[in-house]
Amino acid sequence: MGNKGNFTKVVAYTPTKNPSIYNLGFGDLKYDLPTKKYIIDDQVTNDNGDIRIVLATVAKTAYEFTTVNPHITAFLRGSDSRRTNTYKRAIMLNLEELSETFDIWGKNN
């Protein structure tokens, strides 16, 4: 919920080719007419003024996911450089707290 309305957000942990590594993806839940399936749209920009709440919720799911799956590594990468930088800033602002639970690795461009 934000200043432009309500949007249904979804977080999904998807296995990669490596069974011990999962991709953490999130975005708006959308119904795709051609495939007649629900999809996660990670390209949409709502500018809803609630990015901190959204990212805090995504982080909460990471705590829950890794508690249930302690042997799994989850990774996150933005669908574009702007999103990647947003996630990087959020992690850096909370690095001390996040580092108490997670081993955090990043890539320099």
Side-chain angles (χ1 to χ4, degrees), residues 10-12 24-28 40-42 51 54-55 58 76 87:
V10 178
V11 179
L24 185 171
F26 67 97
D28 284 10
I40 298 174
D41 183 351
D42 65 354
I51 188 66
V54 169
L55 293 179
V58 171
L76 168 70
Y87 307 155

Side-chain angles (χ1 to χ4, degrees), residues 28-97:
D28 284 10
L29 182 65
K30 302 272 177 126
Y31 187 74
D32 185 52
L33 285 173
T35 63
K36 295 184 168 71
K37 294 182 180 180
Y38 283 95
I39 61 167
I40 298 174
D41 183 351
D42 65 354
Q43 302 290 317
V44 68
T45 301
N46 300 115
D47 288 328
N48 207 25
D50 59 352
I51 188 66
R52 289 183 177 173
I53 294 168
V54 169
L55 293 179
T57 302
V58 171
K60 183 177 178 187
T61 72
Y63 281 100
E64 294 172 7
F65 180 81
T66 56
T67 297
V68 174
N69 303 284
H71 60 286
I72 298 292
T73 297
F75 80 91
L76 168 70
R77 176 178 46 211
S79 57
D80 59 43
S81 61
R82 182 183 60 81
R83 285 177 168 85
T84 299
N85 287 332
T86 298
Y87 307 155
K88 181 175 121 182
R89 280 193 303 275
I91 290 168
M92 293 306 294
L93 285 171
N94 299 285
L95 187 59
E96 187 174 333
E97 179 183 348

Side-chain angles (χ1 to χ4, degrees), residues 7-18:
F7 298 91
T8 301
K9 303 287 187 183
V10 178
V11 179
Y13 290 84
T14 308
T16 65
K17 291 179 184 179
N18 182 332

